[in-house]
Amino acid sequence: QVQLVESGGGLVQAGGSLRLSCAASGSIFSFDAMGWYRQAPGKQRELVATAPSGGSIKYADYVKGRFTISRSIAKNAVYLQMNSLKPEDTAVYYCSAHSSYSSDFGGAHDYWGQGTQVTVAS
């Protein structure tokens, strides 16, 4: 069973930086895409950035120029460097990985990590 584990969240002052990491275990295959989503309490989970294997990196407009996603396909890992953090960036950040075929589920499947809390103080 594939598992994703995020790390690197924490409390930071506005304007500060954090680097999130996500490592996959339980699989040696490469995911079709890995990315980061975030969810604030009472709000819908939203895309932060995604790095497809065969496509261009995508960023949400609100993080362009501030966040940088990087990915190691070989290591099934993805990272998110967050700079110039704002209070509105406060959320639980989730790592996501998409597989076009999962033997565990018999088809395409999106895997999710447990999330890591990012809190940006004013």
Side-chain angles (χ1 to χ4, degrees), residues 36-50:
W36 291 93
Y37 293 73
R38 71 186 189 186
Q39 186 171 23
K43 295 185 178 181
Q44 186 176 355
R45 190 172 299 185
E46 61 185 4
L47 173 71
V48 177
T50 185

Side-chain angles (χ1 to χ4, degrees), residues 47-58:
L47 173 71
V48 177
T50 185
S53 297
S56 61
I57 293 173
K58 300 290 194 301

Side-chain angles (χ1 to χ4, degrees), residues 30-97:
S30 296
F31 298 105
D32 298 309
M34 298 187 76
W36 291 93
Y37 293 73
R38 71 186 189 186
Q39 186 171 23
K43 295 185 178 181
Q44 186 176 355
R45 190 172 299 185
E46 61 185 4
L47 173 71
V48 177
T50 185
S53 297
S56 61
I57 293 173
K58 300 290 194 301
Y59 292 98
D61 288 341
Y62 54 81
V63 305
K64 288 181 178 178
R66 300 190 297 123
F67 292 8
T68 302
I69 188 172
S70 59
R71 179 185 174 191
S72 173
I73 296 176
K75 296 180 179 180
N76 287 328
V78 66
Y79 312 91
L80 186 69
Q81 178 66 46
M82 305 185 294
N83 299 324
S84 301
L85 283 162
K86 305 175 181 179
E88 50 263 45
D89 294 320
T90 297
V92 177
Y93 284 70
Y94 295 91
C95 175
S96 179

